[in-house]
Short mmCIF file of all heavy atoms in Angstrom, two decimals:
data_model
loop_
_atom_site.label_atom_id
_atom_site.label_comp_id
_atom_site.label_asym_id
_atom_site.label_seq_id
_atom_site.Cartn_x
_atom_site.Cartn_y
_atom_site.Cartn_z
N ASP A 1 169.20 148.48 -49.50
CA ASP A 1 168.78 149.36 -50.60
C ASP A 1 169.93 149.63 -51.56
O ASP A 1 169.74 149.70 -52.78
CB ASP A 1 168.25 150.69 -50.04
CG ASP A 1 166.85 150.57 -49.48
OD1 ASP A 1 166.20 149.54 -49.75
OD2 ASP A 1 166.40 151.49 -48.77
N ALA A 2 171.14 149.76 -51.00
CA ALA A 2 172.31 150.00 -51.85
C ALA A 2 172.70 148.73 -52.62
O ALA A 2 173.16 148.82 -53.77
CB ALA A 2 173.48 150.48 -51.00
N ILE A 3 172.51 147.57 -52.00
CA ILE A 3 172.77 146.31 -52.71
C ILE A 3 171.82 146.18 -53.90
O ILE A 3 172.24 145.86 -55.03
CB ILE A 3 172.61 145.11 -51.76
CG1 ILE A 3 173.68 145.14 -50.67
CG2 ILE A 3 172.66 143.79 -52.53
CD1 ILE A 3 173.52 144.06 -49.60
N ARG A 4 170.55 146.43 -53.66
CA ARG A 4 169.55 146.37 -54.73
C ARG A 4 169.89 147.34 -55.85
O ARG A 4 169.85 146.99 -57.03
CB ARG A 4 168.17 146.69 -54.15
CG ARG A 4 167.07 146.79 -55.20
CD ARG A 4 165.74 147.19 -54.57
NE ARG A 4 165.86 148.41 -53.80
CZ ARG A 4 165.86 149.64 -54.32
NH1 ARG A 4 165.77 149.79 -55.65
NH2 ARG A 4 165.97 150.70 -53.55
N ALA A 5 170.27 148.56 -55.47
CA ALA A 5 170.58 149.58 -56.48
C ALA A 5 171.79 149.17 -57.33
O ALA A 5 171.81 149.38 -58.55
CB ALA A 5 170.83 150.92 -55.80
N ALA A 6 172.79 148.57 -56.70
CA ALA A 6 173.99 148.17 -57.43
C ALA A 6 173.68 147.08 -58.44
O ALA A 6 174.17 147.10 -59.58
CB ALA A 6 175.06 147.70 -56.45
N VAL A 7 172.86 146.11 -58.04
CA VAL A 7 172.50 145.03 -58.96
C VAL A 7 171.65 145.57 -60.11
O VAL A 7 171.88 145.26 -61.29
CB VAL A 7 171.77 143.91 -58.22
CG1 VAL A 7 171.28 142.84 -59.21
CG2 VAL A 7 172.68 143.26 -57.17
N ASN A 8 170.68 146.42 -59.78
CA ASN A 8 169.80 146.96 -60.82
C ASN A 8 170.56 147.88 -61.79
O ASN A 8 170.26 147.92 -62.98
CB ASN A 8 168.64 147.72 -60.18
CG ASN A 8 167.66 146.79 -59.49
OD1 ASN A 8 167.57 145.61 -59.82
ND2 ASN A 8 166.93 147.32 -58.52
N ALA A 9 171.54 148.61 -61.26
CA ALA A 9 172.29 149.56 -62.10
C ALA A 9 173.26 148.85 -63.05
O ALA A 9 173.76 149.47 -63.98
CB ALA A 9 173.05 150.55 -61.23
N SER A 10 173.50 147.57 -62.82
CA SER A 10 174.47 146.85 -63.65
C SER A 10 173.94 146.56 -65.05
O SER A 10 174.72 146.16 -65.93
CB SER A 10 174.87 145.54 -62.97
OG SER A 10 173.79 144.62 -62.98
N GLY A 11 172.64 146.70 -65.26
CA GLY A 11 172.07 146.43 -66.57
C GLY A 11 172.23 144.99 -67.01
O GLY A 11 172.33 144.71 -68.20
N GLY A 12 172.24 144.06 -66.06
CA GLY A 12 172.38 142.64 -66.39
C GLY A 12 173.81 142.16 -66.48
O GLY A 12 174.04 140.96 -66.67
N ASP A 13 174.78 143.07 -66.33
CA ASP A 13 176.20 142.69 -66.36
C ASP A 13 176.59 142.27 -64.94
O ASP A 13 176.84 143.11 -64.07
CB ASP A 13 177.04 143.88 -66.82
CG ASP A 13 178.51 143.54 -66.98
OD1 ASP A 13 178.97 142.57 -66.35
OD2 ASP A 13 179.21 144.25 -67.72
N LEU A 14 176.65 140.96 -64.70
CA LEU A 14 176.89 140.47 -63.34
C LEU A 14 178.32 140.73 -62.88
O LEU A 14 178.55 140.90 -61.68
CB LEU A 14 176.55 138.98 -63.26
CG LEU A 14 175.09 138.61 -63.54
CD1 LEU A 14 174.84 137.13 -63.28
CD2 LEU A 14 174.13 139.47 -62.71
N ASP A 15 179.28 140.75 -63.78
CA ASP A 15 180.65 141.11 -63.39
C ASP A 15 180.68 142.55 -62.86
O ASP A 15 181.33 142.84 -61.86
CB ASP A 15 181.60 140.98 -64.59
CG ASP A 15 181.95 139.54 -64.89
OD1 ASP A 15 182.28 138.80 -63.95
OD2 ASP A 15 181.87 139.15 -66.07
N ARG A 16 179.99 143.41 -63.55
CA ARG A 16 179.91 144.80 -63.12
C ARG A 16 179.22 144.91 -61.76
O ARG A 16 179.67 145.66 -60.89
CB ARG A 16 179.15 145.61 -64.16
CG ARG A 16 178.95 147.08 -63.80
CD ARG A 16 178.11 147.77 -64.86
NE ARG A 16 177.74 149.13 -64.47
CZ ARG A 16 176.88 149.89 -65.11
NH1 ARG A 16 176.30 149.41 -66.23
NH2 ARG A 16 176.59 151.09 -64.69
N ALA A 17 178.15 144.14 -61.56
CA ALA A 17 177.45 144.16 -60.28
C ALA A 17 178.35 143.67 -59.16
O ALA A 17 178.37 144.25 -58.06
CB ALA A 17 176.19 143.30 -60.37
N ALA A 18 179.10 142.60 -59.41
CA ALA A 18 180.00 142.06 -58.38
C ALA A 18 181.06 143.09 -57.98
O ALA A 18 181.34 143.28 -56.79
CB ALA A 18 180.66 140.78 -58.90
N ARG A 19 181.64 143.75 -58.97
CA ARG A 19 182.65 144.77 -58.66
C ARG A 19 182.04 145.93 -57.87
O ARG A 19 182.64 146.44 -56.92
CB ARG A 19 183.28 145.30 -59.95
CG ARG A 19 184.15 144.28 -60.67
CD ARG A 19 184.99 144.96 -61.75
NE ARG A 19 184.17 145.64 -62.74
CZ ARG A 19 183.71 145.08 -63.86
NH1 ARG A 19 183.98 143.81 -64.11
NH2 ARG A 19 182.98 145.76 -64.72
N ALA A 20 180.85 146.34 -58.26
CA ALA A 20 180.20 147.46 -57.59
C ALA A 20 179.90 147.13 -56.13
O ALA A 20 180.05 147.98 -55.24
CB ALA A 20 178.90 147.83 -58.32
N LEU A 21 179.48 145.90 -55.86
CA LEU A 21 179.17 145.51 -54.49
C LEU A 21 180.42 145.48 -53.62
O LEU A 21 180.41 145.97 -52.48
CB LEU A 21 178.48 144.15 -54.49
CG LEU A 21 177.07 144.12 -55.08
CD1 LEU A 21 176.58 142.67 -55.23
CD2 LEU A 21 176.10 144.91 -54.21
N VAL A 22 181.49 144.92 -54.14
CA VAL A 22 182.74 144.88 -53.37
C VAL A 22 183.28 146.30 -53.15
O VAL A 22 183.73 146.64 -52.05
CB VAL A 22 183.78 144.00 -54.09
CG1 VAL A 22 185.15 144.14 -53.43
CG2 VAL A 22 183.34 142.54 -54.05
N ASP A 23 183.21 147.13 -54.17
CA ASP A 23 183.66 148.51 -54.03
C ASP A 23 182.84 149.26 -52.97
O ASP A 23 183.38 150.04 -52.18
CB ASP A 23 183.57 149.25 -55.36
CG ASP A 23 184.60 148.77 -56.37
OD1 ASP A 23 185.55 148.08 -55.95
OD2 ASP A 23 184.45 149.08 -57.57
N ALA A 24 181.53 149.00 -52.95
CA ALA A 24 180.67 149.66 -51.97
C ALA A 24 181.01 149.22 -50.55
O ALA A 24 181.01 150.04 -49.61
CB ALA A 24 179.21 149.35 -52.27
N ALA A 25 181.32 147.93 -50.36
CA ALA A 25 181.70 147.45 -49.03
C ALA A 25 183.01 148.06 -48.57
O ALA A 25 183.15 148.44 -47.40
CB ALA A 25 181.80 145.92 -49.05
N ASN A 26 183.95 148.19 -49.48
CA ASN A 26 185.22 148.83 -49.11
C ASN A 26 185.03 150.31 -48.85
O ASN A 26 185.65 150.88 -47.94
CB ASN A 26 186.26 148.61 -50.22
CG ASN A 26 186.94 147.26 -50.11
OD1 ASN A 26 187.21 146.78 -49.01
ND2 ASN A 26 187.21 146.63 -51.25
N ALA A 27 184.17 150.95 -49.62
CA ALA A 27 183.89 152.37 -49.40
C ALA A 27 183.22 152.59 -48.05
O ALA A 27 183.39 153.65 -47.42
CB ALA A 27 183.01 152.91 -50.52
N GLY A 28 182.47 151.57 -47.60
CA GLY A 28 181.81 151.68 -46.31
C GLY A 28 182.70 151.37 -45.13
O GLY A 28 182.26 151.42 -43.98
N GLY A 29 183.94 151.04 -45.38
CA GLY A 29 184.88 150.75 -44.30
C GLY A 29 185.70 149.50 -44.55
O GLY A 29 186.83 149.39 -44.08
N GLY A 30 185.16 148.52 -45.28
CA GLY A 30 185.90 147.29 -45.59
C GLY A 30 186.45 146.61 -44.36
O GLY A 30 187.58 146.14 -44.34
N GLU A 31 185.63 146.50 -43.31
CA GLU A 31 186.11 145.97 -42.04
C GLU A 31 186.27 144.46 -42.03
O GLU A 31 186.83 143.91 -41.09
CB GLU A 31 185.16 146.41 -40.92
CG GLU A 31 185.15 147.91 -40.69
CD GLU A 31 184.25 148.32 -39.54
OE1 GLU A 31 183.64 147.42 -38.92
OE2 GLU A 31 184.15 149.52 -39.26
N ASP A 32 185.77 143.79 -43.05
CA ASP A 32 185.85 142.33 -43.09
C ASP A 32 186.13 141.92 -44.53
O ASP A 32 186.06 142.73 -45.46
CB ASP A 32 184.54 141.71 -42.59
CG ASP A 32 184.69 140.26 -42.14
OD1 ASP A 32 185.77 139.67 -42.36
OD2 ASP A 32 183.72 139.72 -41.59
#
């Protein structure tokens, strides 16, 4: 659900979506 929200919130800016997804993974612990 969070992945979907990040892509949809990017407004079509895929660079922004990519950064948001990586930031979310690190915020969740960044274990890998």
Side-chain angles (χ1 to χ4, degrees):
D1 283 347
I3 294 175
R4 174 183 55 80
V7 175
N8 290 336
S10 69
D13 185 337
L14 298 186
D15 284 313
R16 178 183 172 190
R19 291 193 301 270
L21 291 171
V22 170
D23 289 346
N26 277 323
E31 295 182 0
D32 200 352

